[in-house]
Amino acid sequence: MKRNNYIALGAATLLLGLSSCSKDYLNTTPTEYVNEQDVITDITKAKSVINGVHRIMYNQWEAQDQAGQGSININMDVMGDDLVHTAQGNGWFNASYQWTMHRNQTAGTVKFLYRFYYRIIANVNNVVNNLDNIVASEEEKEFLRGQALTYRAWSHFMLVQLFGERFDAGSANDGLGVPIVLSQSVEPIGRSTVAEVYTQINADLDAAIAAFEKGEERSVKSELNKNVAHGVKARVALTMQDWATAAEHAALAREGYDLMGESQYTAGFNDISNPEWIWGSHQVVDQTTYFYSFFAYMSANFNSTNIRSNPKAINSWLYDQMNDTDYRKQLWSPTGEGIPIPPNGSAFPYINKKFLSISSSSSVGDVVYMRASEMYLIEAEAKARLGQADAADVLLALVSERDPAYTRPAATGQALVEEIWVQRRIELWGEGFRFLDLKRTNSKLDRRNTNHQQALCEVMEVEPGDNRWQVLFPQDEINANDKIVQNP
Amino acid sequence: MLGCLFVGIAFGQQRAIRGQVRSQEDGAPLAGVSVTAQGTAVAVTTNEDGQYSINVDESVRALVFRYVGFQEQTVAIGSSNMINVTLQSDMSELEEVVVVAYGTQRSTTFTGSATTVGADQLEQRPITNAIDALAGAAPGVQTSSGSGQPGTAASIRVRGLGSINASNDPLYVVDGIPYSGTIESINAADIETVTVLKDASTAAMYGSRGANGVIMITTKKGKQGKTRLNVRALQGISNRGIPEYDRVDAYGYYPLMWEAYRNSLAYRGSNPLSLEEANKKASEDIFGLLAYNPFTVPNDAIVNENGVLNPAAQLKYNDLDWADPLTRTGQRGDYSMSVSGANDNTDYFFSLGYTDEEGFTKQSDFNRITGRLNMNSQIRPWFKTGLNVSGSTSKSNRANDGNSTGYANPFYFSRNMGPIYPVYAHDPATGEFLRDLNGDLIYDLGGLRELGLANRPAGASNGRHVVAETLYNLDRRNRNALAGRAYAEVKFLKDFTFQTSVGLDIANQQNEGYDNNIVGDGAPAGRARRTNYIYNSYNFNQILTYDRSFGKSHVNALLGHENYDYKYDYNYGFKQGIISEGNYELINFTTINSLTSYKRDYRLESYMARVNYDYDEKYLLSASWRTDGSSRFSPDSRWGTFWSFGAGWNLDREDFLQGASWINALKLRTSYGQLGNDALLDEDDNPLYYGYQSLYSIGINNAADPGFIQYQLSSDLVWESNTSFDVGVEFALFGSRLNGTVEYFHRKSDNLLFSVPLPITSGLLERWENVGSMYNEGIEFDINGDLVRNDAFRWNLRLNGTTFSNRITALPRGEIIDGTKRMTAGSGVYDFWLRDWHGVDPNTGAGTFVADNVDAAGVYELDGVMVTTDHNNAKFDYHGSAIPDLYGGITNEFRYKGFNLSVLLTYQLGGKVYDASYATLMNTGNYGAAWHADIENRWQQPGDVTDVPRVDVTSGFRSSAGAQSSRFLIDGSYLAFRNVTLGYTIPQSLLSKLTLTGATVYVSGENLAFFSKRKGMFVGQSFTGVTSNAYQPARLLTLGVNFNL
């Protein structure tokens, strides 16, 4: 008995000790994430990060009006004068239309505008700053470097246009821009001056163009390449009123991208294989976009409450600027008839069928970010500003494709510039340019004497230089970053 | 230690002692009384006739008789081998044995703080989830108000909040083993006790998992005596427990909207109209803006140019209440039966339960079948083993209240729908119902253009229809759960026990979802989703205990090892394009939208030790130590060490109090210890297992190209530590007519696991860091007394309350602002940080805030204060805390002959509520959206002094006046009639004819009445004090019967 008891005690003690587990019992690894260490040392995984950035260009963020760049493009047009809300619809984008969204620092959309670009910057920084540690061919690495730097430049460019003061080539541009972020940091970073931000943007773009020269070619148009880098450079230069650079890079950007014809123009602007698209997002059916897609608000045919009740129309004045021979004119209906509205949809005058989703039950569609036409328009405007004689020829090359009856404008100087602007507004309607163009050209927002209804838009005119041309910094950033000085 | 072992091994002569135990009160034999040979582990229990027989060593001097609800009695063994005993009932000894970590402890020698809710408090209440019984029942325990969704439990906070961003949920331990399942899988009728362990000395044995308190659930066991059959049946109904807010009706709505539109014309910044022009235009336009005319007057003559509703206006239709078609009287049935018993060696209990509960909102219910078997067998004097296994299967349809402002949320939608929009389609001209080809009514989706109907405006959720969506959609949760606990226990060397236990909690949950193809998010294609969760956890421990008395000293020591492994397996599929109606299986849909799976794993390994010592049950000491290694931390900081000390002094056993016969029990106790918390949570409050790593999300693919995106940045995370101090006094006075506990507690948390907001420029919104310290400090009391106690009538009043405060003492980053709260050193976690509302400017009717930057444009002086109407320039300030000043419960129990009546009230005094639901209803005008009746107090003309701004549909005006501010804070005090039960115990004389041994019938009501500062406000739905459009608690009325055979 005694002996058995001692054996039992011994066995019990032994069991206590032995039942403890092997040393790596407590090392667990997730299956839905990869470790950062793997990402920054492996070319395939680094490439996946750039792919992730391509994807968040059209992913939903925190709300259904936050579908990456497509939603930002909607805001940029809704805040302008060319895109008209026909009704309150179900409320989406109404505050942007009324110019209150971007002046409400607690608005979710304000945070989205800001976070979207800094998240892209953070991800591409982690790639570009670790490329030297990765063993891979130079072509692969330089291709990633070019994409990362183009994204970083483009993101800072969008941020400074939204949150910073307007760039004015005639001044020092030492007003407040946005924080410049070049490496992973959780520390508060203050706002650099507008000039400093543009300096960094240009440095990144120049480095990106050089990297693309050495890198491999892209395989799909949702990736970036040197055309995209030149195109961003052209936009930046246009905004900086650096006309020569704008004209030069606009021409480089459209190399290899021919203008589309009428049948493609009227096919819904939803197909990345379009020959003149330089850059866009390509959506596939199993990555469906529900009610947040660009097409859930902008298309004629998707069966969403927003499209049914608030189809988007063109400014009636702008519509009237098109000749009847201009096939672009088919994209809008002055009576509201002939538009493929969804069942139970409302039709209003001047609503569009420029954008079509692939079916009324799916909001999937490719989203365009850059196409050759814009580059013609940049080149034409830059050359017109420079007083170069071929400015009108560049414009004619584009518009005569759209309107066979269009003749070379005889005007020069500001009159020619204004003709180019009208063509730009028609050609790029709904593609996210108008607010930025108004700010860039220091123009007044003027919605009067058109089909804009004051009960819906509330704001009919905004003078250039008004504080409201700057988006307020989001409250969350002010809370977490004490170096941010809020806009007036 | 081995030296001590020899002492106990001497064997002497044995003698058999027999006898009977009876209750002094009524002389009835008592079954199940524990009879112990003093100073030994030898014990038996009495049979159904109260008889026992025990073989004791000759050296044993006395027998100790213990029975729940009766005073313990020690009887010296004389020459006779027959000892008959009568036990005196004693309320203070009800909690004689306290369920503690890895065992039980007698309450007299217990140095910790625990509160127990017993089966008697559970069995007459119509509750599906046993945790609901903790509301108001235990001091120091704060419960959220619970949801009307059948089956769901209230959340629990024990003694304030230990953590800011990591979990504050207590650990649930079922039958001695940490439980990974959901409490809703447990049949409340199977539960013997629910014990809340609140202080360090009780919880530290669970180390990292006990920092937020421990809730120990012990299920029923068979008791000595004849086999018993118990049957319990409850049948009841469920209704809405809290009424809707008072809202403006159709007659009030049109003129008010007219005024809001008129004001937007007359007060707009650019080219305002004169009041006269604005009045005229408002009368012309208002119908077009609201789109619906529910009145029997022409569309252009609804509101005249003085803003008055056409006196001829009568409603053309009255289906304007959107909650009504979704509300019903739910049925609730709850039936269970159990069989239990025990012989000398084996006890057994098995049960079956069936619960079927309908919520008061359609498409919400809970249906559960449970079974349990609990068996313990003393196979040899030195070897005992047992198994407790339970299974449950449940099906539950869920009301869609996950998103407070979601279109498919029936509570949000119906609350905020303007009162002029009908549920069903009507002919706009005549108001007649429109019907489809089958003659059925048609839901008005708010945009049926093809039937000639208008689009409802944006504020009236155009294009959505919550009644149709609720009825057509599917959101069902099916869960099968198995919980098993098994142990083997070996006694050896007289004083040693070795026990090894295995606990297994397995659950498979399947969520089925369908969004219909007619209206809402799923339209027009229809879409279905299926989520499968597999939870697998096991807990394996080995415990060696040593228990021995040396003279008047008694030592109980424990050494143990435990490991825990929790696996979570997730699969999700989502397809759209329904093929044939009514079939919601994924095969019946055309296009895959999402298909994914992943696994997560959490492991913990622990070693522990504990020593309890008492001298003559007078002086009590305890100490415990535990170390945990958690997979949630990096190998460098994985191991945490936790410990506690406790001491107690039973003054009533001192000689100097022997003269004070009015003192039945008096104990002073204190404890101090350090616990830890590793329970990181993700943004959806789900457990986060990999918080210390820098990670990229997989699956952010760009079309066919694989993609990652940064998800989380690492930091050097260590354990959050929680240091608790507690001192209390327990007493029973005047023949135990007055009992109580008063305690002070102080919980300090350091190295808080904090989800620190990052500058957005970092690319991420937050990251986990160990930041700062805070403490919770408070007093809790629990007093109960028999106000009247005589043979026929007894009135017992129990009152408990807790008051505590929470303070952050260090926050290295200065301040953290999160929603309505700002945390900084010196503030509390639940202190409201809101714009400082200054009131309505009597000249303009605009809402004003105290200005932050007084030099900014638009700042002016009002009542001597620099104010602004621009909420972006409003000054933020602290405005009190969501933590109540005092909260608790009051229980009245009356017994008269066979009747018992119990009334449980829960209350809260003080504490602020940010009434977000009310704030939405107090918008300054949003075409189509509902208004609270308080909007009648709006500013109307210069000179009006009011706190409600003018109504004005201008969106900038609306967003400023409606911005989160102190305007919407309100006192959160409330009083709730949580439960009232009236029962009748059928006399034995009647029962014996039916061969029954006991029977009761009762009626019981839950959530009978609720009094708060604002009608409709659902206080306490969250600890943060912010209301949302959630499923309100149900009022349950139930008839029950309970009998034993």
Side-chain angles (χ1 to χ4, degrees):
Chain A
M1 179 77 185
K2 268 188 201 174
R3 182 177 297 162
N4 285 347
N5 277 322
Y6 289 125
I7 292 169
L9 178 63
T13 317
L14 213 62
L15 257 172
L16 280 179
L18 286 184
S19 53
S20 45
C21 302
S22 65
K23 216 178 165 192
D24 56 2
Y25 174 72
L26 295 173
N27 292 334
T28 57
T29 46
T31 57
E32 77 251 54
Y33 307 110
V34 283
N35 211 286
E36 181 179 73
Q37 201 50 40
D38 299 334
V39 167
I40 61 174
T41 54
D42 178 320
I43 189 73
T44 313
K45 294 195 170 73
K47 192 172 180 193
S48 294
V49 175
I50 298 295
N51 283 334
V53 174
H54 299 325
R55 174 62 180 277
I56 63 172
M57 289 288 289
Y58 64 95
N59 243 2
Q60 182 177 10
W61 290 54
E62 288 181 3
Q64 73 182 62
D65 59 347
Q66 300 177 13
Q69 185 60 31
S71 294
I72 295 176
N73 286 349
I74 297 173
N75 278 299
M76 294 302 97
D77 278 318
V78 163
M79 290 170 68
D81 47 357
D82 292 343
L83 192 146
V84 175
H85 274 193
T86 52
Q88 296 173 57
N90 53 350
W92 297 107
F93 296 100
N94 289 4
S96 297
Y97 193 40
Q98 294 156 348
W99 276 56
T100 54
M101 175 281 291
H102 72 295
R103 299 295 296 177
N104 179 359
Q105 62 200 30
T106 53
T109 311
V110 166
K111 179 175 162 187
F112 163 64
L113 288 176
Y114 191 75
R115 180 182 172 214
F116 176 72
Y117 295 108
Y118 280 111
R119 190 168 179 207
I120 291 175
I121 291 169
N123 278 274
V124 300
N125 276 340
N126 286 347
V127 172
V128 78
N129 294 335
N130 290 292
L131 272 180
D132 294 341
N133 306 324
I134 296 178
V135 181
S137 73
E138 194 190 8
E139 287 76 15
E140 284 178 299
K141 285 162 71 169
E142 293 308 307
F143 178 51
L144 292 190
R145 190 189 311 280
Q147 293 197 74
L149 291 173
T150 306
Y151 264 127
R152 188 164 82 183
W154 172 75
S155 298
H156 279 118
F157 175 53
M158 291 301 294
L159 286 163
V160 75
Q161 291 179 93
L162 292 168
F163 294 91
E165 293 179 12
R166 173 181 173 269
F167 188 95
D168 178 1
S171 78
N173 292 300
D174 53 0
L176 288 176
V178 292
I180 297 174
V181 180
L182 303 178
S183 62
Q184 180 81 68
S185 168
V186 297
E187 296 306 316
I189 301 173
R191 296 172 68 176
S192 296
T193 66
V194 171
E196 286 164 347
V197 177
Y198 276 95
T199 302
Q200 181 63 44
I201 291 166
N202 280 300
D204 280 347
L205 286 172
D206 294 342
I209 290 166
F212 280 128
E213 296 293 343
K214 292 181 273 183
E216 60 189 12
E217 290 298 314
R218 70 177 177 186
S219 51
V220 292
K221 283 200 265 184
S222 56
E223 296 179 324
L224 312 187
N225 69 355
K226 68 170 187 272
N227 297 78
V228 177
H230 284 301
V232 174
K233 178 91 179 170
R235 288 179 184 173
V236 170
L238 190 72
T239 306
M240 296 173 72
Q241 300 118 54
D242 176 358
W243 312 119
T245 306
E248 176 198 343
H249 285 274
L252 290 168
R254 65 177 156 87
E255 266 182 17
Y257 293 86
D258 299 328
L259 293 176
M260 64 178 122
E262 178 174 350
S263 63
Q264 285 161 320
Y265 208 93
T266 52
F269 275 79
N270 59 16
D271 185 356
I272 201 167
S273 67
N274 186 305
E276 77 165 70
W277 285 28
I278 299 171
W279 178 28
S281 282
H282 177 48
Q283 304 187 6
V284 292
V285 197
D286 74 346
Q287 294 165 3
T288 190
T289 44
Y290 313 114
F291 292 93
Y292 63 81
S293 160
F294 177 81
F295 295 92
Y297 301 94
M298 291 295 288
S299 72
N301 59 327
F302 180 60
N303 192 350
S304 68
T305 303
N306 192 270
I307 301 287
R308 285 196 305 271
S309 53
N310 178 16
K312 306 306 174 296
I314 190 173
N315 179 323
S316 53
W317 177 87
L318 188 61
Y319 179 82
D320 292 339
Q321 305 310 303
M322 283 178 278
N323 293 324
D324 289 341
T325 47
D326 190 335
Y327 61 69
R328 292 179 298 191
K329 207 166 183 176
Q330 301 167 27
L331 300 185
W332 298 273
S333 165
T335 61
E337 284 164 21
I339 301 293
I341 58 171
N344 280 315
S346 301
F348 294 92
Y350 300 105
I351 58 175
N352 91 91
K353 58 176 176 180
K354 174 171 179 173
F355 298 104
L356 297 172
S357 63
I358 57 170
S359 81
S360 73
S361 63
S362 170
S363 65
V364 167
D366 300 340
V367 183
V368 62
Y369 304 132
M370 185 182 286
R371 56 191 179 93
S373 294
E374 181 202 350
M375 295 303 141
Y376 279 93
L377 291 160
I378 290 175
E379 189 181 346
E381 180 178 343
K383 286 182 165 170
R385 302 271 200 154
L386 288 167
Q388 290 182 3
D390 60 348
D393 298 323
V394 177
L395 183 67
L396 180 68
L398 169 68
V399 184
S400 62
E401 170 56 42
R402 307 289 180 237
D403 176 7
Y406 190 76
T407 53
R408 186 180 187 277
T412 57
Q414 186 60 27
L416 177 59
V417 169
E418 283 179 14
E419 167 62 15
I420 293 166
W421 285 352
V422 169
Q423 292 302 330
R424 184 177 166 95
R425 289 167 68 178
I426 296 166
E427 180 66 31
L428 300 178
W429 183 92
E431 296 180 45
F433 291 92
R434 190 58 185 156
F435 173 82
L436 299 176
D437 277 343
L438 287 169
K439 183 170 178 178
R440 167 174 74 82
T441 56
N442 212 23
S443 306
K444 173 180 174 172
L445 173 79
D446 190 352
R447 291 163 166 172
R448 294 172 303 166
N449 307 316
T450 64
N451 50 341
H452 286 284
Q453 302 166 58
Q454 183 158 6
L456 298 179
C457 69
E458 294 184 359
V459 170
M460 293 302 275
E461 46 191 324
V462 179
E463 294 299 326
D466 190 291
N467 285 340
R468 287 177 288 170
W469 290 98
Q470 281 175 267
V471 180
L472 292 182
F473 280 76
Q475 185 74 46
D476 285 354
E477 177 69 353
I478 289 174
N479 289 347
N481 181 349
D482 54 13
K483 291 191 173 161
I484 292 294
V485 177
Q486 181 60 286
N487 282 324
Chain B
M1 190 159 94
L2 281 177
C4 320
L5 302 180
F6 291 100
V7 183
I9 303 170
F11 288 90
Q13 289 288 323
Q14 300 271 309
R15 67 188 276 198
I17 296 172
R18 293 181 300 116
Q20 192 186 31
V21 184
R22 291 174 175 274
S23 159
Q24 195 191 45
E25 209 166 354
D26 55 6
L30 292 173
V33 177
S34 147
V35 185
T36 311
Q38 193 181 45
T40 75
V42 178
V44 297
T45 49
T46 57
N47 67 14
E48 64 178 304
D49 297 322
Q51 287 167 341
Y52 71 95
S53 167
I54 186 168
N55 291 318
V56 299
D57 194 87
E58 279 204 327
S59 62
V60 173
R61 298 288 165 83
L63 293 180
V64 183
F65 296 83
R66 298 190 188 104
Y67 192 54
V68 174
F70 290 80
Q71 285 181 4
E72 176 183 321
Q73 211 173 111
T74 303
V75 180
I77 300 175
S79 53
S80 169
N81 284 343
M82 174 73 82
I83 298 179
N84 292 327
V85 172
T86 54
L87 293 182
Q88 194 174 359
S89 131
D90 184 352
M91 292 309 291
S92 74
E93 298 263 320
L94 234 182
E95 293 152 19
E96 184 202 33
V97 172
V98 183
V99 180
V100 298
Y102 308 104
T104 56
Q105 205 176 344
R106 294 184 45 224
S107 62
T108 42
T109 63
F110 181 54
T111 62
S113 175
T115 305
T116 298
V117 173
D120 53 330
Q121 282 157 279
L122 288 169
E123 68 188 7
Q124 294 190 348
R125 286 183 64 178
I127 48 182
T128 304
N129 195 310
I131 292 307
D132 286 347
L134 289 177
V141 175
Q142 194 179 7
T143 57
S144 66
S145 303
S147 159
Q149 174 68 49
T152 55
S155 317
I156 302 283
R157 295 282 179 273
V158 178
R159 292 189 166 174
L161 63 158
S163 190
I164 294 179
N165 292 139
S167 176
N168 277 300
D169 289 335
L171 171 70
Y172 290 90
V173 173
V174 174
D175 292 315
I177 302 264
Y179 181 63
S180 308
T182 58
I183 303 300
E184 71 183 47
S185 296
I186 300 175
N187 183 359
D190 283 353
I191 293 176
E192 181 69 37
T193 58
V194 179
T195 302
V196 186
L197 306 182
K198 296 184 284 195
D199 73 318
S201 79
T202 56
M205 276 304 279
Y206 288 110
S208 63
R209 309 175 70 187
N212 291 316
V214 182
I215 295 179
M216 312 280 290
I217 293 174
T218 305
T219 59
K220 287 177 178 165
K221 265 169 87 165
K223 291 192 176 104
Q224 277 281 352
K226 208 161 72 176
T227 300
R228 276 157 44 108
L229 170 73
N230 175 273
V231 175
R232 174 177 178 261
L234 287 82
Q235 188 67 47
I237 54 170
S238 130
N239 283 299
R240 181 177 182 137
I242 297 176
E244 185 51 88
Y245 289 97
D246 285 326
R247 291 170 302 167
V248 170
D249 66 7
Y251 295 100
Y253 189 75
Y254 241 102
L256 279 162
M257 279 309 309
W258 176 94
E259 184 178 325
Y261 174 57
R262 188 276 313 269
N263 287 347
S264 77
L265 301 171
Y267 291 93
R268 67 190 178 197
S270 57
N271 60 318
L273 302 183
S274 72
L275 213 51
E276 198 176 326
E277 290 169 322
N279 286 346
K280 186 166 179 297
K281 190 165 167 56
S283 292
E284 285 164 7
D285 293 354
I286 190 63
F287 165 72
L289 292 163
L290 295 177
Y292 277 60
N293 174 8
F295 299 115
T296 53
V297 296
N299 293 343
D300 57 1
I302 303 173
V303 183
N304 73 14
E305 290 177 19
N306 296 319
V308 175
L309 186 73
N310 189 330
Q314 291 298 318
L315 284 176
K316 284 190 287 198
Y317 38 77
N318 205 7
D319 48 330
L320 302 171
D321 180 348
W322 287 66
D324 188 53
L326 286 174
T327 308
R328 64 177 170 198
T329 295
Q331 300 290 323
R332 182 179 186 280
D334 188 354
Y335 319 98
S336 56
M337 57 84 75
S338 66
V339 173
S340 63
N343 61 28
D344 291 345
N345 300 320
T346 301
D347 61 72
Y348 52 91
F349 171 92
F350 61 89
S351 74
L352 285 172
Y354 176 72
T355 305
D356 189 27
E357 181 173 350
E358 291 175 342
F360 63 81
T361 291
K362 286 180 185 168
Q363 299 288 76
S364 67
D365 53 42
F366 181 76
N367 177 296
R368 176 184 66 196
I369 300 169
T370 58
R372 175 177 299 274
L373 171 65
N374 184 358
M375 206 164 162
N376 301 283
S377 198
Q378 188 83 45
I379 292 167
R380 295 285 178 276
W382 52 272
F383 183 65
K384 188 177 179 188
T385 183
L387 174 72
N388 186 339
V389 58
S390 69
S392 90
T393 177
S394 61
K395 277 201 291 265
S396 175
N397 284 298
R398 320 287 295 178
N400 190 337
D401 71 343
N403 176 358
S404 174
T405 57
Y407 287 120
N409 175 337
F411 313 103
Y412 164 76
F413 194 103
S414 62
R415 174 169 292 156
N416 289 291
M417 173 61 75
I420 58 170
Y421 302 100
V423 174
Y424 299 99
H426 295 266
D427 183 316
T430 65
E432 292 297 315
F433 282 111
L434 296 175
R435 291 177 187 273
D436 64 14
L437 294 176
N438 297 323
D440 295 329
L441 298 179
I442 299 166
Y443 289 121
D444 184 350
L445 307 182
L448 293 175
R449 310 286 299 174
E450 289 167 359
L451 293 177
L453 302 187
N455 287 322
R456 283 197 302 262
S461 304
N462 167 23
R464 302 297 294 255
H465 197 290
V466 81
V467 178
E469 290 179 46
T470 302
L471 298 178
Y472 297 160
N473 291 350
L474 175 71
D475 183 0
R476 186 160 57 205
R477 205 163 86 177
N478 305 312
R479 189 176 174 100
N480 300 319
L482 182 76
R485 274 103 182 88
Y487 68 92
E489 186 183 282
V490 178
K491 285 192 197 305
F492 58 97
L493 292 179
K494 195 169 177 215
D495 304 318
F496 284 92
T497 307
F498 178 77
Q499 191 191 62
T500 180
S501 309
V502 178
L504 197 62
D505 291 316
I506 300 172
N508 298 329
Q509 183 175 314
Q510 179 192 57
N511 291 3
E512 298 175 80
Y514 171 66
D515 294 334
N516 77 84
N517 55 352
I518 295 164
V519 56
D521 291 331
R527 59 190 200 184
R529 62 193 161 268
R530 181 67 56 85
T531 319
N532 285 306
Y533 308 85
I534 302 172
Y535 306 90
N536 255 303
S537 78
Y538 77 81
N539 197 97
F540 181 37
N541 67 36
Q542 307 84 39
I543 307 287
L544 180 64
T545 47
Y546 169 75
D547 189 282
R548 162 143 194 132
S549 296
F550 306 93
K552 289 185 167 178
S553 294
H554 175 245
V555 174
N556 178 292
L558 175 156
L559 201 61
H561 167 254
E562 182 167 62
N563 55 42
Y564 174 70
D565 189 348
Y566 176 83
K567 286 192 169 65
Y568 169 73
D569 192 327
Y570 172 90
N571 304 242
Y572 175 72
F574 187 25
K575 289 177 81 176
Q576 73 168 34
I578 190 166
I579 298 165
S580 66
E581 294 291 327
N583 177 355
Y584 307 138
E585 295 302 318
L586 294 179
I587 194 170
N588 189 40
F589 291 77
T590 56
T591 312
I592 295 174
N593 288 349
S594 180
L595 183 60
T596 191
S597 76
Y598 56 77
K599 285 185 169 63
R600 293 175 180 172
D601 201 346
Y602 170 51
R603 292 178 190 154
L604 201 64
E605 181 162 20
S606 317
Y607 299 90
M608 61 226 151
R610 177 174 68 199
V611 180
N612 289 333
Y613 170 84
D614 71 80
Y615 179 80
D616 197 20
E617 299 190 348
K618 199 187 285 180
Y619 308 111
L620 324 166
L621 287 174
S622 79
S624 72
W625 172 89
R626 173 163 169 145
T627 181
D628 283 344
S630 167
S631 66
R632 275 177 161 144
F633 297 115
S634 79
D636 303 332
S637 50
R638 177 166 287 165
W639 288 90
T641 301
F642 314 102
W643 48 267
S644 75
F645 294 106
W649 181 17
N650 282 318
L651 280 90
D652 55 303
R653 292 180 181 255
E654 292 289 356
D655 293 341
F656 58 80
L657 282 181
Q658 290 307 317
S661 59
W662 55 280
I663 298 178
N664 305 84
L666 184 62
K667 177 159 83 177
L668 277 178
R669 57 173 167 76
T670 183
S671 71
Y672 184 69
Q674 193 171 79
L675 294 84
N677 189 357
D678 67 348
L680 301 169
L681 298 173
D682 70 9
E683 59 269 28
D684 302 321
D685 278 355
N686 292 316
L688 179 71
Y689 299 112
Y690 310 102
Y692 72 91
Q693 305 180 27
S694 276
L695 298 172
Y696 281 68
S697 298
I698 298 179
I700 316 299
N701 304 336
N702 177 40
D705 297 327
F708 305 151
I709 207 79
Q710 191 175 33
Y711 170 71
Q712 174 177 281
L713 268 176
S714 70
S715 64
D716 300 323
L717 290 185
V718 299
W719 289 86
E720 178 173 291
S721 76
N722 197 304
T723 312
S724 281
F725 170 71
D726 164 278
V727 56
V729 55
E730 292 173 14
F731 56 86
L733 309 173
F734 312 115
S736 296
R737 275 183 77 152
L738 179 66
N739 307 303
T741 307
V742 179
E743 289 176 79
Y744 163 83
F745 62 87
H746 185 100
R747 275 178 86 188
K748 184 171 187 297
S749 302
D750 295 294
N751 286 328
L752 286 167
L753 285 170
F754 218 118
S755 177
V756 177
L758 295 179
I760 295 172
T761 51
S762 68
L764 293 168
L765 297 178
E766 58 214 2
R767 140 175 112 159
W768 285 97
E769 294 176 24
N770 289 102
V771 167
S773 303
M774 69 168 178
Y775 69 84
N776 296 277
E777 178 180 52
I779 291 172
E780 61 192 40
F781 62 88
D782 188 2
I783 310 285
N784 94 72
D786 286 333
L787 300 184
V788 180
R789 185 161 90 181
N790 58 44
D791 288 346
F793 183 62
R794 183 167 158 233
W795 174 17
N796 179 270
L797 173 66
R798 182 167 182 171
L799 173 65
N800 74 61
T802 306
T803 175
F804 78 96
S805 62
N806 167 278
R807 277 283 164 273
I808 296 168
T809 51
L811 207 60
R813 286 221 172 173
E815 61 169 30
I816 290 173
I817 298 172
D818 182 14
T820 55
K821 311 294 185 307
R822 172 179 182 254
M823 290 166 249
T824 185
S827 79
V829 174
Y830 289 156
D831 286 359
F832 283 103
W833 175 250
L834 294 165
R835 291 180 184 84
D836 203 346
W837 173 252
H838 184 68
V840 174
D841 186 332
N843 302 312
T844 62
T848 64
F849 305 92
V850 175
D852 184 28
N853 174 5
V854 295
D855 299 323
V859 174
Y860 64 102
E861 193 177 320
L862 182 67
D863 317 324
V865 178
M866 298 307 285
V867 300
T868 177
T869 57
D870 175 9
H871 67 291
N872 290 314
N873 187 30
K875 187 165 176 286
F876 279 77
D877 212 341
Y878 284 114
H879 292 276
S881 170
I883 298 174
D885 298 331
L886 180 70
Y887 65 88
I890 303 166
T891 311
N892 276 289
E893 280 199 2
F894 305 91
R895 283 179 190 279
Y896 177 71
K897 295 192 172 161
F899 291 94
N900 69 292
L901 172 67
S902 120
V903 180
L904 168 64
L905 307 171
T906 59
Y907 67 91
Q908 160 173 337
L909 293 175
K912 291 278 178 26
V913 171
Y914 183 83
D915 196 353
S917 301
Y918 175 76
T920 307
L921 288 171
M922 288 298 286
N923 69 82
T924 66
N926 181 10
Y927 301 119
W931 261 323
H932 193 277
D934 287 353
I935 208 77
E936 301 281 358
N937 303 327
R938 75 215 175 274
W939 180 95
Q940 295 175 68
Q941 58 193 10
D944 282 358
V945 176
T946 170
D947 202 38
V948 181
R950 74 170 187 261
V951 289
D952 189 330
V953 294
T954 307
S955 66
F957 186 84
R958 188 170 68 231
S959 57
S960 266
Q964 271 183 356
S965 76
S966 54
R967 178 182 170 199
F968 300 112
L969 274 187
I970 186 169
D971 184 340
S973 300
Y974 74 83
L975 178 70
F977 278 73
R978 185 77 190 210
N979 174 266
V980 176
T981 299
L982 174 65
Y984 177 64
T985 305
I986 296 166
Q988 198 68 38
S989 53
L990 272 173
L991 292 176
S992 48
K993 291 175 192 149
L994 300 167
T995 70
L996 294 175
T997 56
T1000 51
V1001 292
Y1002 44 91
V1003 286
S1004 183
E1006 295 279 318
N1007 298 317
L1008 292 180
F1010 187 85
F1011 305 99
S1012 69
K1013 291 279 176 180
R1014 179 176 291 133
K1015 182 187 159 198
M1017 183 169 67
F1018 179 11
V1019 184
Q1021 57 182 289
S1022 71
F1023 298 110
T1024 57
V1026 180
T1027 61
S1028 65
N1029 300 304
Y1031 199 154
Q1032 303 198 325
R1035 174 182 302 157
L1036 291 165
L1037 292 173
T1038 296
L1039 181 65
V1041 41
N1042 201 345
F1043 59 88
N1044 292 318
L1045 189 66

